[in-house]
Amino acid sequence: MAKRARILIDCKDAKGLVYHISKIFYERNLNIDSNREFVDKENSKFFMRTVVTGEFESEELHRALASVLPAEAQIRVIVPKPKKIVIMVTKESHCLGDILIRWADGEFEADIEAVISNRYNLRDLTRRFDIPFFYVSSDDCSREEHEHQVREILGELNFDFIVLAKYMRILSSDFVRQFPERIVNIHHSFLPAFIGANPYRQAYERGVKIIGATAHFVTTDLDEGPIISQDVVSVTHRHGWKDMQRAGGDVEKIVLARALSLVLNDRVFVNGNKTIVF
Amino acid sequence: MAKRARILIDCKDAKGLVYHISKIFYERNLNIDSNREFVDKENSKFFMRTVVTGEFESEELHRALASVLPAEAQIRVIVPKPKKIVIMVTKESHCLGDILIRWADGEFEADIEAVISNRYNLRDLTRRFDIPFFYVSSDDCSREEHEHQVREILGELNFDFIVLAKYMRILSSDFVRQFPERIVNIHHSFLPAFIGANPYRQAYERGVKIIGATAHFVTTDLDEGPIISQDVVSVTHRHGWKDMQRAGGDVEKIVLARALSLVLNDRVFVNGNKTIVF
Amino acid sequence: MAKRARILIDCKDAKGLVYHISKIFYERNLNIDSNREFVDKENSKFFMRTVVTGEFESEELHRALASVLPAEAQIRVIVPKPKKIVIMVTKESHCLGDILIRWADGEFEADIEAVISNRYNLRDLTRRFDIPFFYVSSDDCSREEHEHQVREILGELNFDFIVLAKYMRILSSDFVRQFPERIVNIHHSFLPAFIGANPYRQAYERGVKIIGATAHFVTTDLDEGPIISQDVVSVTHRHGWKDMQRAGGDVEKIVLARALSLVLNDRVFVNGNKTIVF
Amino acid sequence: MAKRARILIDCKDAKGLVYHISKIFYERNLNIDSNREFVDKENSKFFMRTVVTGEFESEELHRALASVLPAEAQIRVIVPKPKKIVIMVTKESHCLGDILIRWADGEFEADIEAVISNRYNLRDLTRRFDIPFFYVSSDDCSREEHEHQVREILGELNFDFIVLAKYMRILSSDFVRQFPERIVNIHHSFLPAFIGANPYRQAYERGVKIIGATAHFVTTDLDEGPIISQDVVSVTHRHGWKDMQRAGGDVEKIVLARALSLVLNDRVFVNGNKTIVF
């Protein structure tokens, strides 16, 4: 029976890659629905995302591709199904709320397994959508202790991605290293401007005329992970920093949703400290 | 000696197209520098733009591609060289001026053969850049007579594209039909809003909060040709229609330059009344 | 006790208006927190929105202002308090959901009295937020009958504004005339482009490179009411019309929320078929 | 005979300012064409820009305003006339070219007195517009020596503003201090991101999805002066840093022209390290 797969390939660039790969598809009578390639010439790397339809057996297809590609090639044959996500929040509702509304409408190819928070503020909102809410206090305990508790909960769950939807604590390197390319964060500034705490206050103090938001994978370098999506909105001298925060909130939620959609649709490659977005 | 070509293919969609095409490149030891494809599923059409480098003979490559593609396939093997353009204007300087500055800076892969106008206003500006300026009066003569004179001048020139850089007269269907997919126009509105005369006045009367500009290929249907590029800018109740015109001028020149660049770099396919932009 | 008022004045332009008005404030020892004026010179009309703080008695202040302004002047002295809104929807959740999340977060200076729909789709979402949901079937009945039932429900409610948050039926002139400048609609196109049904399909067919959304007051002319807010998003040839619809949805909800905020904060004057937005 | 003035007032906030000021206008029978105010509450400062028409004598009007305003108030009564500007450049033509085209079209309320450069690249372009071009070599000399020569030329000229239209050298604090709030610079990044050298390279390395440009007044803190205008453009992984530079160039010239227009129209107040833009 005909099915669909997303093929993601990431390897050293070489002559004939498209030919060798498309030959595999051709020999199996697969149809190419869409196809995107990119060659990073500086680093001589090749990236390809192809959607094929037809009759295939995933492992066989993977083996066939591996047989014509360099040994180090990363090959993924993904038959689309909902990914599982866990959302971490603190107290602002706009990003979580936006994700919930979209999810309830079937916009995301995802199941939301749980919401974890160090505050109670968003418990009611979460429960309105019948999603488990875990409260893990961060008061009166060290970061290690707090994260230990969070990881115990995560250990009980089955998930592909963690989404930091305005989670206002910094995760330790230890934590981050457990989930490489699996944590998506929304930062409330147009990175790399205004790294760190209270970017809207910083933006206000600097007198900028545009503010923005950045969705990125979390790495062990704070606010330095590969950027997935960014957007901006104009402000004027009439915006106090709270007005900037409100205006910025609209950008944050749209940018986070866009990045999450891209990630859930397997459209994002990490390339060093950057992303390729197909 | 290694050279570079842009291969543009446009044909009915079919299984194996990417394989057959990439095989041709592979057998000739050509390197794929970049590659973009699109399948219009509604109309079952396939579009591909590939940049290859290596040693090849254009006609041989064309024949080889033709041998593996459907009979009706449009195949172009383009070894990049400056295209020749003629610019038609009336009296506003911002679009012409922007093109001249960019061209003088080597930004366009193009030679400007001439500027033709039905007014004298832009003669001095054109001559500052040592480009021939032809004045063809549109006063006291019919559209046919005027266009006849324009076409006599065009007949003496060698050119690939005509750029209407705020040419404020409507070209006859007869004229347009002579140059299919070869006339690029900038329309001073966000088409299809405000078709026809004085779109800024129309936009002002309607009280819109955003105005825009549209670059498109000219067809025999006024303001209905395939859109290449569009952009917008915000306005408020404080903008009178002349303020809108001024703000819109900035968008017009950027959009026209962007469209022209895309066309000169062979990045635009016409697909019915739409474009594919790679 | 010190309080705050928004003073909205709208009258024929004349010399000395700012002087006469500010004198009233000065004599009462009121502080001007913010002040915005606009003169529509074409129509010789004056608009002013001032926020004052201090001790005042609304009716006395109104009378004082009336005594120095032309007889036809519209004067509003508004002591801010939550306005009451009724939301009408059909089946798409993104605009309603966005409003609910913002409202639950206290972002709107408003109480949501009810959601009315001709479909059941959004009942659960509405109830998650403990808001009354009224289903009024539009099947097997005339527009008059349907609207009659809607108006019976409205008659039981106390409200300032009706928000059409993707209400997909056309309201009769009779209905609209009951609520002048009190119905805010989100239209899913960059008006005046793509008036009428299925604008995303229209936009797709036309091959535009940018799509948009428009929030406006509803008047008896379909899609022709005064525009409050607009915004846009870029699309490419890769967007089918359903992709455009999804991308457009993000713009719709942001534009509607922005317009609603402006209206709830008494920042919008209607000036003929246009708005003044302070 | 009726004339027009722009009145700019900047003082400590106090009750009754609008009343006292508008009384002055009223008593002189002046008409208020437009009026904008802003109160910076954090710093308790009041800013006002009013355009009045009627019969007045500038010094008398100034004295009258001073008599009702706090002693420290900055009051400017400006009867519009072209301001004089000097443009400093290095070798990129897009900003200078854009200014020249606009200027030749009468878009700026300004006379261009001269172009000064440390390179010959833009001499021909400048001369095409019949504007004096001064070459001041920066080779084989210290910054002090170079600036000394530039200041000798400036000393011979009569000018209001210096525009750095891609002048690629850092001006000394000594130089900058001579021209407070009189030097406008275009910085090729979305400040405060990518301060310093080669911002496009920095942006490319960081993998941002949006790049921008910033026009600001130059102060003795490099890239830290009050921001007048900013704008951005989207980029993707397909943009190398030279592509970013080209895309950014379009933003730079538009942002610089917009800032210059605002400054020439006396629409910009400096408020500490920020601007108020009316």
Side-chain angles (χ1 to χ4, degrees):
Chain A
M1 205 199 72
K3 54 185 188 175
R4 174 184 303 258
R6 299 172 188 151
I7 317 289
L8 279 78
I9 293 167
D10 167 358
C11 64
K12 202 169 155 16
D13 191 28
K15 236 174 247 187
L17 288 173
V18 175
Y19 164 66
H20 289 303
I21 294 164
S22 60
K23 187 163 185 273
I24 301 281
F25 300 152
Y26 182 67
E27 289 169 349
R28 275 149 195 81
N29 204 28
L30 299 177
N31 200 40
I32 295 178
D33 264 28
S34 72
N35 188 31
R36 305 273 283 185
E37 298 143 36
F38 177 67
V39 176
D40 171 355
K41 278 172 198 147
E42 270 196 351
N43 301 297
S44 197
K45 292 199 64 177
F46 173 85
F47 299 89
M48 185 170 180
R49 179 187 185 275
T50 309
V51 178
V52 296
T53 45
E55 285 175 56
F56 61 91
E57 201 277 302
S58 293
E59 269 132 70
E60 191 280 330
L61 188 54
H62 194 289
R63 271 197 309 276
L65 288 164
S67 75
V68 299
L69 291 170
E72 45 66 54
Q74 287 218 26
I75 303 163
R76 282 172 284 171
V77 176
I78 302 166
V79 177
K81 62 172 186 185
K83 292 181 172 56
K84 292 178 188 308
I85 63 176
V86 170
I87 303 174
M88 290 177 71
V89 297
T90 297
K91 59 183 180 176
E92 289 172 84
S93 69
H94 58 289
C95 286
L96 176 61
D98 193 57
I99 291 172
L100 291 172
I101 294 288
R102 290 174 192 267
W103 168 79
D105 193 41
E107 183 177 323
F108 291 130
E109 204 178 70
D111 298 325
I112 302 178
E113 296 299 297
V115 172
I116 301 175
S117 182
N118 57 327
R119 292 284 162 81
Y120 276 119
N121 309 50
L122 302 177
R123 186 180 55 175
D124 289 357
L125 176 61
T126 304
R127 290 190 176 162
R128 285 185 204 277
F129 289 84
D130 306 317
I131 290 168
F133 179 90
F134 295 92
Y135 167 70
V136 184
S137 171
S138 56
D139 301 338
D140 308 319
C141 70
S142 68
R143 188 158 68 164
E144 285 67 35
E145 285 163 353
H146 180 248
E147 289 188 356
H148 178 77
Q149 284 187 274
V150 170
R151 282 172 64 180
E152 282 203 321
I153 292 167
L154 291 174
E156 299 294 312
L157 298 167
N158 182 14
F159 65 93
D160 299 288
F161 293 99
I162 295 171
V163 180
L164 306 182
K166 303 293 287 177
Y167 180 68
M168 301 311 281
R169 292 175 59 83
I170 293 166
L171 294 167
S172 70
S173 296
D174 254 21
F175 187 101
V176 170
R177 261 193 289 269
Q178 301 298 313
F179 309 104
E181 300 182 20
R182 290 176 58 195
I183 310 177
V184 176
N185 183 44
I186 181 71
H187 184 80
H188 41 320
S189 88
F190 183 73
L191 287 176
F194 310 125
I195 284 173
N198 213 338
Y200 291 118
R201 183 83 214 174
Q202 290 184 57
Y204 170 75
E205 297 293 353
R206 181 61 189 89
V208 294
K209 301 301 186 189
I210 288 179
I211 56 172
T214 304
H216 63 99
F217 284 116
V218 177
T219 59
T220 53
D221 288 330
L222 179 62
D223 299 339
E224 293 288 346
I227 293 170
I228 304 166
S229 187
Q230 298 188 294
D231 211 343
V232 298
V233 67
S234 290
V235 292
T236 75
H237 60 268
R238 294 167 69 206
H239 286 77
W241 78 265
K242 295 228 170 238
D243 306 305
M244 288 191 181
Q245 188 173 45
R246 175 141 299 179
D250 280 4
V251 184
E252 292 169 16
K253 75 185 187 189
I254 297 295
V255 166
L256 179 57
R258 205 180 286 158
L260 188 51
S261 236
L262 291 167
V263 166
L264 295 172
N265 286 279
D266 304 301
R267 294 183 173 281
V268 185
F269 284 89
V270 171
N271 179 24
N273 197 41
K274 303 182 195 179
T275 60
I276 314 293
V277 178
F278 284 136
Chain B
M1 206 197 72
K3 54 185 189 176
R4 175 185 302 259
R6 298 173 189 151
I7 317 289
L8 280 79
I9 293 167
D10 168 359
C11 64
K12 203 170 157 9
D13 191 29
K15 237 175 244 186
L17 287 174
V18 175
Y19 163 66
H20 289 302
I21 293 164
S22 61
K23 186 161 183 274
I24 300 280
F25 300 153
Y26 182 66
E27 288 169 349
R28 276 150 194 79
N29 203 29
L30 299 178
N31 201 39
I32 295 178
D33 265 28
S34 72
N35 188 31
R36 306 273 281 185
E37 298 142 36
F38 178 68
V39 176
D40 171 356
K41 277 171 197 148
E42 270 195 352
N43 301 297
S44 197
K45 292 198 66 178
F46 172 85
F47 299 88
M48 184 170 182
R49 180 187 185 274
T50 309
V51 179
V52 297
T53 46
E55 285 175 56
F56 61 90
E57 201 278 304
S58 293
E59 269 133 70
E60 191 280 329
L61 187 55
H62 194 288
R63 270 196 309 275
L65 289 164
S67 74
V68 300
L69 292 169
E72 45 68 54
Q74 286 218 28
I75 304 163
R76 282 173 283 172
V77 176
I78 302 167
V79 177
K81 62 173 186 185
K83 292 182 173 54
K84 293 178 188 308
I85 62 177
V86 171
I87 303 173
M88 291 178 70
V89 298
T90 297
K91 60 184 181 177
E92 289 172 84
S93 69
H94 58 289
C95 286
L96 175 62
D98 193 57
I99 291 172
L100 292 172
I101 295 290
R102 290 174 192 266
W103 168 79
D105 193 41
E107 183 176 323
F108 291 130
E109 204 177 69
D111 299 325
I112 302 177
E113 296 298 299
V115 172
I116 301 175
S117 183
N118 57 326
R119 291 283 162 81
Y120 276 119
N121 308 51
L122 301 177
R123 186 181 54 177
D124 289 358
L125 176 61
T126 303
R127 290 190 177 163
R128 286 184 204 278
F129 289 83
D130 305 317
I131 290 168
F133 179 90
F134 296 92
Y135 167 71
V136 183
S137 171
S138 56
D139 301 339
D140 308 319
C141 70
S142 68
R143 188 158 68 166
E144 285 67 34
E145 284 164 354
H146 180 248
E147 288 188 356
H148 178 78
Q149 284 187 274
V150 170
R151 282 173 64 182
E152 282 203 322
I153 292 166
L154 291 173
E156 299 295 311
L157 298 168
N158 182 14
F159 65 93
D160 298 289
F161 292 99
I162 295 171
V163 180
L164 306 182
K166 303 293 286 178
Y167 180 68
M168 301 310 282
R169 292 174 61 83
I170 294 166
L171 293 167
S172 71
S173 296
D174 255 20
F175 188 101
V176 169
R177 262 192 289 267
Q178 301 298 314
F179 309 104
E181 300 182 20
R182 290 176 58 195
I183 310 178
V184 176
N185 182 44
I186 182 71
H187 184 79
H188 40 319
S189 89
F190 183 73
L191 286 177
F194 309 126
I195 284 173
N198 214 338
Y200 291 118
R201 183 83 214 176
Q202 289 184 58
Y204 169 77
E205 297 293 352
R206 181 62 188 89
V208 294
K209 301 301 187 188
I210 288 179
I211 55 172
T214 305
H216 63 99
F217 284 116
V218 176
T219 59
T220 53
D221 288 330
L222 179 63
D223 299 339
E224 293 288 347
I227 293 170
I228 304 166
S229 186
Q230 298 188 294
D231 211 341
V232 298
V233 67
S234 290
V235 292
T236 75
H237 61 268
R238 295 167 69 208
H239 286 76
W241 78 265
K242 295 229 169 235
D243 306 306
M244 288 191 180
Q245 188 174 44
R246 175 142 300 178
D250 281 4
V251 184
E252 291 169 15
K253 74 184 188 190
I254 299 295
V255 167
L256 178 58
R258 204 179 285 158
L260 189 51
S261 236
L262 290 168
V263 166
L264 294 171
N265 286 279
D266 303 303
R267 293 184 175 280
V268 185
F269 284 88
V270 172
N271 180 24
N273 197 40
K274 303 182 195 178
T275 61
I276 314 294
V277 177
F278 284 136
Chain C
M1 203 197 74
K3 53 185 188 175
R4 174 184 303 259
R6 299 171 188 151
I7 317 289
L8 280 78
I9 293 168
D10 167 359
C11 64
K12 202 168 156 14
D13 191 27
K15 238 175 244 186
L17 288 173
V18 174
Y19 164 67
H20 289 302
I21 295 165
S22 60
K23 187 161 183 275
I24 301 281
F25 300 152
Y26 182 67
E27 288 168 349
R28 277 149 194 79
N29 203 27
L30 299 177
N31 201 39
I32 296 179
D33 265 29
S34 71
N35 188 30
R36 306 272 282 184
E37 297 142 36
F38 177 68
V39 176
D40 171 355
K41 278 172 198 148
E42 269 195 352
N43 301 297
S44 197
K45 292 199 66 179
F46 172 85
F47 299 88
M48 185 170 181
R49 179 187 186 274
T50 309
V51 179
V52 297
T53 46
E55 284 174 57
F56 61 91
E57 201 276 304
S58 293
E59 268 133 70
E60 191 280 329
L61 187 54
H62 194 288
R63 271 196 308 275
L65 289 164
S67 74
V68 300
L69 291 170
E72 45 68 54
Q74 288 219 26
I75 303 163
R76 283 172 283 172
V77 176
I78 302 167
V79 177
K81 62 172 185 185
K83 292 181 171 54
K84 293 180 188 306
I85 62 176
V86 171
I87 304 173
M88 291 178 69
V89 298
T90 296
K91 60 182 181 179
E92 289 171 84
S93 69
H94 58 289
C95 285
L96 175 62
D98 193 57
I99 290 172
L100 292 172
I101 295 288
R102 291 174 192 265
W103 168 80
D105 193 41
E107 183 177 323
F108 291 130
E109 203 177 71
D111 298 325
I112 302 177
E113 296 299 297
V115 171
I116 301 175
S117 183
N118 57 326
R119 292 283 161 80
Y120 276 119
N121 308 51
L122 302 178
R123 186 181 54 178
D124 289 358
L125 175 61
T126 303
R127 291 191 175 161
R128 285 185 204 279
F129 289 83
D130 305 317
I131 289 169
F133 179 90
F134 296 92
Y135 167 70
V136 183
S137 171
S138 57
D139 301 337
D140 307 320
C141 70
S142 69
R143 189 158 67 165
E144 285 67 34
E145 286 163 352
H146 180 249
E147 289 186 357
H148 178 78
Q149 285 187 274
V150 170
R151 282 173 63 181
E152 282 204 322
I153 293 167
L154 291 174
E156 300 294 312
L157 299 167
N158 183 15
F159 65 93
D160 299 289
F161 293 100
I162 296 171
V163 180
L164 306 183
K166 303 293 286 179
Y167 179 68
M168 302 310 282
R169 291 174 61 83
I170 293 166
L171 294 167
S172 71
S173 296
D174 254 19
F175 188 102
V176 169
R177 262 192 288 268
Q178 302 298 314
F179 310 104
E181 299 183 20
R182 291 176 58 196
I183 310 177
V184 175
N185 182 44
I186 182 71
H187 184 79
H188 40 320
S189 89
F190 183 72
L191 287 176
F194 311 126
I195 284 173
N198 213 337
Y200 291 117
R201 183 82 214 177
Q202 289 184 58
Y204 170 76
E205 298 292 352
R206 181 60 188 90
V208 294
K209 301 301 186 189
I210 289 179
I211 57 173
T214 304
H216 63 100
F217 284 116
V218 177
T219 60
T220 54
D221 288 329
L222 178 65
D223 298 339
E224 293 289 345
I227 293 171
I228 304 165
S229 186
Q230 298 189 294
D231 211 343
V232 297
V233 67
S234 291
V235 292
T236 74
H237 60 267
R238 294 166 69 206
H239 286 76
W241 79 264
K242 294 227 170 239
D243 306 305
M244 287 191 181
Q245 189 174 43
R246 175 142 299 178
D250 281 3
V251 184
E252 291 168 15
K253 75 185 188 190
I254 298 294
V255 167
L256 179 57
R258 205 180 286 158
L260 189 51
S261 237
L262 291 167
V263 166
L264 294 171
N265 286 279
D266 304 303
R267 294 184 174 278
V268 185
F269 284 89
V270 171
N271 180 24
N273 197 40
K274 304 182 194 178
T275 60
I276 315 293
V277 178
F278 284 136
Chain D
M1 204 199 75
K3 53 185 190 175
R4 174 184 302 259
R6 297 171 189 152
I7 317 290
L8 280 78
I9 293 167
D10 166 358
C11 64
K12 200 166 158 15
D13 192 28
K15 239 175 243 184
L17 288 174
V18 174
Y19 164 66
H20 289 302
I21 293 165
S22 61
K23 186 161 183 275
I24 301 280
F25 300 152
Y26 182 66
E27 289 169 349
R28 277 149 194 80
N29 204 28
L30 299 178
N31 201 40
I32 295 179
D33 264 29
S34 71
N35 188 31
R36 306 272 282 185
E37 298 141 37
F38 178 68
V39 176
D40 170 356
K41 279 172 197 146
E42 270 196 350
N43 301 296
S44 196
K45 292 199 65 179
F46 172 84
F47 299 88
M48 184 171 182
R49 180 188 186 274
T50 310
V51 179
V52 297
T53 46
E55 284 174 58
F56 61 90
E57 201 276 304
S58 293
E59 267 132 71
E60 191 280 331
L61 188 54
H62 194 288
R63 270 195 309 275
L65 289 164
S67 74
V68 300
L69 292 169
E72 45 66 55
Q74 288 218 26
I75 303 163
R76 282 172 283 172
V77 176
I78 301 166
V79 177
K81 62 173 186 184
K83 292 182 172 55
K84 293 179 187 307
I85 62 176
V86 170
I87 303 173
M88 291 178 69
V89 297
T90 296
K91 60 183 181 177
E92 288 172 84
S93 69
H94 58 289
C95 286
L96 175 62
D98 193 57
I99 291 172
L100 292 172
I101 295 288
R102 290 173 192 266
W103 168 80
D105 193 41
E107 183 176 324
F108 291 130
E109 203 177 70
D111 298 325
I112 302 177
E113 295 300 296
V115 172
I116 301 175
S117 182
N118 57 327
R119 292 283 160 80
Y120 276 119
N121 307 50
L122 301 178
R123 186 180 54 176
D124 289 358
L125 175 61
T126 303
R127 291 191 175 162
R128 285 186 204 278
F129 289 83
D130 306 318
I131 290 168
F133 179 90
F134 296 92
Y135 167 70
V136 183
S137 172
S138 56
D139 302 338
D140 308 321
C141 70
S142 68
R143 188 158 67 164
E144 286 66 34
E145 285 164 352
H146 180 248
E147 288 187 356
H148 178 78
Q149 285 186 273
V150 170
R151 282 172 64 180
E152 281 203 322
I153 292 167
L154 292 173
E156 299 295 311
L157 298 167
N158 183 15
F159 65 94
D160 299 288
F161 292 100
I162 295 171
V163 181
L164 307 182
K166 303 292 286 179
Y167 180 68
M168 301 311 281
R169 292 173 61 82
I170 293 165
L171 292 168
S172 70
S173 296
D174 254 19
F175 187 101
V176 169
R177 261 192 289 268
Q178 301 298 314
F179 310 103
E181 299 183 20
R182 290 175 59 196
I183 310 177
V184 176
N185 182 45
I186 182 71
H187 184 79
H188 40 320
S189 88
F190 184 72
L191 286 176
F194 310 126
I195 284 173
N198 213 338
Y200 291 117
R201 183 83 215 177
Q202 290 184 58
Y204 170 76
E205 297 292 353
R206 182 60 189 89
V208 294
K209 301 301 187 189
I210 288 179
I211 57 172
T214 304
H216 62 100
F217 284 116
V218 177
T219 59
T220 54
D221 288 330
L222 178 63
D223 299 340
E224 293 289 347
I227 293 170
I228 304 166
S229 186
Q230 298 190 293
D231 211 342
V232 298
V233 67
S234 291
V235 291
T236 74
H237 60 267
R238 295 166 69 206
H239 285 78
W241 79 265
K242 295 226 168 240
D243 305 307
M244 287 192 181
Q245 189 174 43
R246 173 141 303 179
D250 281 3
V251 183
E252 292 168 16
K253 74 184 187 191
I254 298 295
V255 167
L256 179 57
R258 206 179 284 157
L260 189 50
S261 236
L262 291 167
V263 167
L264 294 172
N265 286 279
D266 304 302
R267 294 185 174 279
V268 185
F269 285 88
V270 171
N271 179 24
N273 197 41
K274 304 183 194 178
T275 61
I276 315 293
V277 178
F278 284 135

